[in-house]
Amino acid sequence: MLNQITRDLGRHSFIAAPQAPLPHDQGDPQASLPSRASALALAVVIIAGGCGHSPTAPVAERGPASQPSSQPASQPSSRPMSLVQTASISAQSLREHVYYLAGDELEGRGPATAGLDKAARYLVAELQKAGLRPAFEDSYRQPFEMLIGVQLGARNQLSQGKRAFTLGEHFVPYTFSAGGDVHGVPVFAGYGIRSKDHEYDDYAGLDVKGKVVIALAYEPGDDDPKSPFDGKRRTTHASVRSKVLLAREAGAVALLVVSDKLDPKAPGPVSKDGGIFAARISAQAAKQLLGFDVLKRKKAIDRSYAPNNAGPARAEVQLTIDIERKRRTVHNIAAIAGPAQAKEVVVLGAHYDHLGMGGEGSLSGTSEPRIHNGADDNASGTAAVLEVAKSLGPTAHKGQRKLLFIFFAGEEHGLLGSSHFVQHPPVPVGQMAAMINLDMVGRLRDQRMNFMGVKTAPEFEALARAAATARGLTGTYGGDGYGPSDHTAFYAKGVPVLFLFTGAHADYHKPSDDPDTLNYPGLAAVAAVAADVVGSLAQASQRPTYVKAPPPKKHGGGGYGPYFGSIPDFGEPVQGVKFSGVRSQSPADKAGVLKGDVLIEFGGLEVHNLQDFTIALRRCAPGDTVSLKVQRAGKVLEFSATLTRRE
Ligand SMILES: [Zn+2]
């Protein structure tokens, strides 16, 4: 499951269990910004619209007393579906799959590991053994490329006149930097912050067009409990991405952030080109470039909370940035079963990738590489889909619909496999009657499991209840079809979805998510529930009725931040933010934004990527009316949206 610990937002964590301290309380400027993984978490927060009350959070916390919100009047008419009981699932077989997939030999199934390939081979062999047909013509594999690493190339240089600076001692490029050569005179923009709320503007009176902006890391009074910038707790203004956005908006050609973390071997997270040249530099290098001591300026700002910038130095800075971005082919694995003449399919899926040796999605609290075995996340779901495939495959010809069993790669890095799959489906998406997703189903406690997405089709809740009850389980039901796992990609394309999940725990995204922590009889029960649901859907006379779900119901707690209601498309590497959908009745919907639109400007800020959008959105307040530009069918269209409060 995608990491929902929203580092940068600092609250509304998906995981109710004890958390690691927020990483941005220490470390380098990069840590405080939406790194790739946390940007995705942010994205999901945007998706969810109501962080604390979205499907990403509430079900496990609400507990059994929670009643499903009842709005039957607004639902399309539907006939109840009868439950078809299928065979039982062997806890022992599930245990064997999990012990293999989550064993150290598979290296945590990270996108860059040989372990992921081993897992893929294992799944293919199991599907073959079960006699299931390949889903992609004659192959079980659907290849796609993902970005798996960045490193610094050989040509990184920073100089001013005859003075050349040393990589690692004086400067280190950010991994999200643009590449190539750039030059300009340096200017000092304090902390590089503009904040209406704080009546603070480091750019006031400063012309940075075509220049190289040098700015301090973080925000004024970082160590001052009484700082107007939320005491010692960092605000969004402290993030490098926020500084990048402002520098770019002001017309700077490059941003150099003063930092004492200059390790060229650890340049930062795997990122796409952020649209500006950006690097960290030492305070000493900043002093050389500008001709004064920036740390003295820092002290002055920290004392007064008043901006203290400085116009251009005389000599130009030359900057060459060389970032190598490494890509790799990974595979979705899928098989199909059922009557050849049937057009519709029921999809049962689980992601089989995990975090490998750690990295950004990890909550281990250390940057030391350690194998993240991912037993619950998501060897559990993978094993369950395998056993359901074996159990249902042989009798699938009796159904009304085909069954498609799929194992996604790239989930932990942004639902990449499922996004690719719905964009390149072997069966048209319109013929997918339903998608059932299993992600983290190995920790059944008190015989209680969660179903999300029950409002995405009116038939679902009764069917889910019947299936849970028949297997001796109690369900908790959440309506929304958007959440931090692969079903989101399907729901955004108009497919009703159900997401089965046994709840969060303290080992989530840690090396301790090990095979010996799972409840195998519980996993077998959940797999049997999934099999019954899938079997029932395959045999029902009618397919479930897709419902464009309303945003999650508001309940309790303080809302926070502005809400727009768009759903970013994780799979498309375009400039800007492509929307795979908009929530019905959301500000985005009311403004006229459509799925497929690519957001390029929001509230007067250029949007190059998701981080930009997140920051641009957070600069607004609920109730604000903002103008935005999207690209649609080769044209740029302008809209205005009135933001509401994120609940
Ligand atoms: Zn995960």
Side-chain angles (χ1 to χ4, degrees):
M1 190 173 308
L2 262 182
N3 186 352
Q4 286 288 289
I5 302 291
T6 55
R7 302 171 187 191
D8 200 47
L9 296 175
R11 49 189 283 198
H12 291 305
S13 143
F14 176 40
I15 300 307
Q19 290 177 28
L22 288 173
H24 76 229
D25 290 344
Q26 68 260 311
D28 104 346
Q30 187 115 27
S32 70
L33 66 78
S35 61
R36 187 173 165 79
S38 56
L40 291 165
L42 292 179
V44 174
V45 170
I46 297 170
I47 285 176
C51 310
H53 318 288
S54 69
T56 62
V59 168
E61 290 162 26
R62 259 189 254 150
S66 126
Q67 293 301 314
S69 49
S70 50
Q71 306 164 290
S74 64
Q75 288 177 352
S77 63
S78 67
R79 262 180 264 163
M81 267 175 197
S82 46
L83 181 73
V84 177
Q85 284 241 238
T86 58
S88 67
I89 303 273
S90 146
Q92 184 52 31
S93 304
L94 292 166
R95 173 191 280 271
E96 282 164 20
H97 297 316
V98 170
Y99 269 81
Y100 177 71
L101 294 166
D104 284 355
E105 190 198 331
L106 266 70
E107 304 167 280
R109 308 182 307 282
T113 65
L116 186 72
D117 300 335
K118 286 184 185 168
R121 281 199 293 277
Y122 181 82
L123 295 172
V124 168
E126 289 289 317
L127 293 172
Q128 264 165 341
K129 249 197 279 177
L132 294 157
R133 302 196 299 277
F136 309 103
E137 300 188 7
D138 54 359
S139 176
Y140 293 100
R141 291 169 180 267
Q142 180 179 49
F144 65 94
E145 274 211 335
M146 64 183 278
L147 190 62
I148 56 159
V150 283
Q151 56 183 45
L152 300 183
R155 299 189 305 279
N156 290 291
Q157 284 171 10
L158 174 67
S159 60
Q160 187 182 41
K162 287 195 185 115
R163 162 98 211 221
F165 294 89
T166 309
L167 179 72
E169 187 187 342
H170 299 119
F171 76 103
V172 172
Y174 283 110
T175 47
F176 59 79
S177 176
D181 302 308
V182 73
H183 58 92
V185 288
V187 295
F188 178 64
Y191 279 94
I193 290 173
R194 319 183 92 147
S195 169
K196 266 188 244 156
D197 294 352
H198 300 92
E199 292 178 6
Y200 180 93
D201 185 357
D202 278 318
Y203 285 85
L206 196 63
D207 176 15
V208 305
K209 255 208 175 70
K211 302 188 175 71
V212 172
V213 166
I214 296 177
L216 300 163
Y218 306 129
E219 61 191 5
D222 212 40
D223 255 341
D224 175 3
K226 295 202 191 88
S227 162
F229 289 87
D230 207 4
K232 287 175 112 168
R233 193 188 151 93
R234 290 202 178 112
T235 70
T236 165
H237 302 293
S239 83
V240 178
R241 289 289 188 159
S242 174
K243 294 171 203 262
V244 158
L245 191 114
L246 291 171
R248 208 174 60 206
E249 179 192 29
V253 293
L255 173 69
L256 304 176
V257 176
V258 179
S259 168
D260 49 8
K261 299 271 159 44
L262 298 171
D263 181 359
K265 288 194 201 81
V270 177
S271 323
K272 290 196 263 185
D273 184 332
I276 189 171
F277 288 80
R280 277 167 266 197
I281 59 168
S282 67
Q284 196 207 341
K287 187 175 175 181
Q288 297 271 354
L289 294 173
L290 291 162
F292 58 81
D293 186 350
V294 293
L295 296 180
K296 277 195 188 144
R297 298 273 179 143
K298 175 176 157 62
K299 278 197 189 124
I301 300 172
D302 288 352
R303 263 197 312 269
S304 63
Y305 293 100
N308 191 340
N309 60 29
R314 270 178 299 262
E316 281 209 334
V317 170
Q318 284 80 35
L319 182 62
T320 301
I321 291 186
D322 178 13
I323 305 279
E324 290 167 0
R325 293 187 169 86
K326 228 197 295 175
R327 293 174 178 280
R328 180 170 186 256
T329 299
V330 296
H331 298 91
N332 291 329
I333 306 293
I336 200 156
Q341 73 282 4
K343 284 215 166 68
E344 290 175 1
V345 297
V346 176
V347 180
L348 176 67
H351 76 88
Y352 73 98
D353 65 303
H354 192 51
L355 299 171
M357 304 301 287
E360 288 161 77
S362 172
L363 297 173
S364 66
T366 157
S367 55
E368 269 316 81
R370 285 171 68 188
I371 300 175
H372 287 56
N373 300 93
D376 189 31
D377 185 7
N378 185 28
S380 66
T382 305
V385 173
L386 256 186
E387 285 305 304
V388 174
K390 283 196 205 164
S391 155
L392 296 188
T395 56
H397 59 273
K398 291 184 197 147
Q400 301 283 327
R401 298 179 183 82
K402 289 194 183 86
L403 302 176
L404 192 142
F405 303 102
I406 181 156
F407 305 95
F408 302 107
E411 191 273 349
E412 300 285 13
H413 294 81
L415 316 183
L416 302 176
S418 49
S419 300
H420 181 85
F421 178 77
V422 297
Q423 277 154 22
H424 306 94
V427 175
V429 173
Q431 291 173 14
M432 294 179 191
M435 192 276 171
I436 316 301
N437 183 28
L438 307 184
D439 191 357
M440 297 177 64
V441 288
R443 295 265 196 137
L444 189 78
R445 281 153 285 181
D446 305 326
Q447 302 297 100
R448 192 171 295 142
M449 65 178 293
N450 305 304
F451 295 87
M452 325 293 293
V454 297
K455 296 276 182 239
T456 67
E459 296 86 356
F460 276 172
E461 187 164 335
L463 181 61
R465 276 183 191 280
T469 307
R471 300 289 178 171
L473 304 184
T474 309
T476 305
Y477 304 89
D480 206 319
Y482 297 114
S485 187
D486 293 307
H487 56 286
T488 294
F490 289 80
Y491 187 57
K493 291 270 181 189
V495 181
V497 296
L498 266 183
F499 170 36
L500 279 52
F501 168 52
T502 51
H505 48 79
D507 297 312
Y508 170 74
H509 278 209
K510 292 184 187 160
S512 50
D513 180 6
D514 281 328
D516 61 358
T517 62
L518 299 200
N519 169 358
Y520 292 95
L523 176 55
V526 174
V529 167
D532 292 354
V533 168
V534 167
S536 305
L537 290 167
Q539 296 195 22
S541 55
Q542 273 185 312
R543 64 192 279 178
T545 319
Y546 176 74
V547 176
K548 200 173 172 183
K553 272 210 150 179
K554 301 168 183 179
H555 61 88
Y560 95 117
Y563 169 62
F564 184 56
S566 57
I567 302 121
D569 187 327
F570 296 109
E572 290 277 299
V574 292
Q575 185 96 332
V577 174
K578 183 169 177 177
F579 296 137
S580 63
V582 293
R583 285 173 172 268
S584 90
Q585 296 304 307
S586 67
D589 188 21
K590 288 178 184 163
V593 176
L594 298 179
K595 102 177 175 188
D597 286 353
V598 177
L599 182 73
I600 54 172
E601 205 181 296
F602 189 91
L605 294 178
E606 256 179 59
V607 173
H608 287 240
N609 51 40
L610 209 46
Q611 283 102 337
D612 291 354
F613 175 38
T614 308
I615 289 161
L617 181 62
R618 279 186 289 152
R619 289 186 5 157
C620 305
D624 284 0
T625 298
V626 294
S627 63
L628 56 116
K629 288 184 186 159
V630 303
Q631 280 174 336
R632 183 186 298 167
K635 284 199 193 116
V636 174
L637 305 178
E638 210 169 328
F639 296 101
S640 78
T642 302
L643 304 175
T644 55
R645 183 170 295 279
R646 171 180 296 154
E647 297 291 342

